[in-house]
Amino acid sequence: MTDMEHDTAATGAPTRSGFVALIGATNAGKSTLVNRLVGAKVSIVSHKVQTTRAIVRGIAIHDNAQIVFMDTPGIFKPRRRLDRAMVTSAWGGAKDADLIMLLIDSERGLKGDAEAILEGLKEVHQPKILVLNKIDQVRPEDLLKLAAAANEAVKFERTFMISALSGSGCDDVMDYLAKALPEGPWYYPEDQISDLPMRQLAAEITREKLFLRLHQELPYASHVETEKWEERKDGSVRIEQVIYVERESQKKIALGKGGEAIKAISTAARKEISEILEQPVHLFLFVKVRENWGDDPERFREMGLEFPR
């Protein structure tokens, strides 16, 4: 038996494993839910929409099953090249999964993007479950109406009502997934929580801190790359990252008066990266202007996205 196969003798049950694509409109709470179900941060969370750009995989063990969550970018009406790449990535992730989990913000209901996603799901043949999020914000009778309307549009195997923020209802989702996935060996070692390379995860963490600090002033057109990663003899790691923006005026915003914004972003990112790595981190951030980086194929490859022609 390999390291990736769980010892079934103890439980008497065969191991199960599979990929679950979590799809939904932007800001439905997908990243919060993935982090909740995995039990650790693997996906960037911010109140700025469309923060998840490429598919991030979070890996959870529940009973005898290894559940690999694919946190896809939010599906929305694309306007720019980057938008098109993100939406294509989301639908591609759905079609590659063993099971699809549609997350709907109960407060927003089936308005706008959610309605369009339901229409798109009619063309996807994998088993699907419906998860209504933020149920503590909505009256029970309205939740039942919402569930009925969604199930009328698309055939769902099951409907769950949860709060990703508090964790309410999440155990029921995990119990179901652990039984619904196909039998087979685990894909990843038992202690692995994500298949994102650490360099990329570190860049995602910095990008999150950038959004949290400057979500009102800095437009969506920013991108973070880890350029250098040096393991040092004293057990620490030196990381150099570049924040790319499109205009000189955006660079000034990212730096802040007297460099205070970039210092705060660096401090917050360094603390979190250090906690994940469990070693001291020396983080150095640089801000560079790269006009129209959103049309550069190399940046798309760095984000794990196909460059749309």
Side-chain angles (χ1 to χ4, degrees):
M1 182 176 284
T2 68
D3 288 341
M4 287 190 198
E5 290 180 85
H6 194 43
D7 183 3
T8 58
T11 61
T15 55
R16 294 178 178 272
S17 59
F19 291 81
V20 177
L22 184 53
I23 68 169
T26 53
N27 262 11
K30 296 186 302 300
S31 297
T32 302
L33 181 56
V34 165
N35 292 339
R36 164 73 60 183
L37 298 180
V38 171
K41 175 173 278 192
V42 291
S43 194
I44 175 173
V45 178
S46 108
H47 41 276
K48 197 169 180 67
V49 299
Q50 301 153 28
T51 44
T52 301
R53 286 182 176 164
I55 290 173
V56 176
R57 290 189 180 93
I59 305 157
I61 307 295
H62 191 76
D63 295 337
N64 59 320
Q66 186 177 69
I67 307 162
V68 185
F69 291 101
M70 303 161 74
D71 177 15
T72 61
I75 296 174
F76 54 97
K77 191 171 180 182
R79 290 185 292 277
R80 301 165 300 165
R81 194 190 293 269
L82 178 60
D83 296 346
R84 292 206 310 276
M86 287 162 63
V87 171
T88 301
S89 172
W91 281 117
K95 288 169 183 170
D96 289 342
D98 295 292
L99 188 145
I100 293 164
M101 185 156 68
L102 172 63
L103 189 68
I104 287 181
D105 180 334
S106 299
E107 286 186 288
R108 279 189 278 167
L110 301 183
K111 298 170 192 162
D113 293 330
E115 197 171 21
I117 293 168
L118 283 171
E119 195 59 38
L121 277 177
K122 292 176 183 176
E123 307 299 316
V124 180
H125 303 298
Q126 285 94 326
K128 296 172 270 289
I129 64 170
L130 173 67
V131 179
L132 301 182
N133 190 23
K134 306 179 186 177
I135 57 166
D136 43 349
Q137 309 292 323
V138 182
R139 294 183 309 172
E141 54 267 37
D142 292 334
L143 284 171
L144 292 173
K145 284 180 194 170
L146 177 56
N151 276 275
E152 199 175 311
V154 171
K155 182 183 179 295
F156 291 103
E157 306 290 323
R158 285 282 297 273
T159 297
F160 295 91
M161 300 187 183
I162 67 148
S163 165
L165 206 55
S166 73
S168 173
C170 290
D171 285 345
D172 294 337
V173 175
M174 292 295 278
D175 288 343
Y176 176 83
L177 294 176
K179 292 181 177 71
L181 291 177
E183 289 184 14
W186 291 355
Y187 290 100
Y188 298 94
E190 190 169 349
D191 59 353
Q192 190 169 334
I193 60 166
S194 176
D195 71 348
L196 259 192
M198 274 315 306
R199 292 171 69 107
Q200 199 176 335
L201 186 58
E204 283 290 287
I205 288 167
T206 300
R207 192 160 69 90
E208 177 187 58
K209 304 312 175 195
L210 184 72
F211 280 154
L212 291 174
R213 172 84 188 192
L214 302 171
H215 70 280
Q216 289 174 322
E217 299 100 318
L218 192 67
Y220 185 53
S222 60
H223 171 56
V224 180
E225 284 182 24
T226 301
E227 293 213 327
K228 288 187 181 173
W229 187 290
E230 180 195 349
E231 298 281 349
R232 302 174 69 167
K233 288 178 183 175
D234 62 2
S236 66
V237 58
R238 176 190 168 95
I239 302 169
E240 292 184 13
Q241 294 178 333
V242 177
I243 299 168
Y244 287 106
V245 293
E246 290 190 317
R247 290 189 295 279
E248 198 63 44
S249 59
Q250 294 170 356
K251 180 177 179 179
K252 288 177 183 170
I253 292 169
L255 291 171
K257 190 175 180 182
E260 64 175 341
I262 199 76
K263 281 178 196 163
I265 293 160
S266 178
T267 300
R270 178 178 52 76
K271 183 174 182 290
E272 189 161 316
I273 296 167
S274 179
E275 285 170 3
I276 289 173
L277 292 176
E278 296 180 339
Q279 64 188 118
V281 167
H282 307 282
L283 179 63
F284 299 88
L285 298 184
F286 306 91
V287 184
K288 292 183 182 177
V289 178
R290 178 169 279 161
E291 290 183 15
N292 302 319
W293 71 260
D295 294 322
D296 180 357
E298 185 59 37
R299 303 282 75 74
F300 280 70
R301 276 193 291 277
E302 194 71 33
M303 286 185 274
L305 293 169
E306 290 285 329
F307 184 72
R309 299 290 168 189

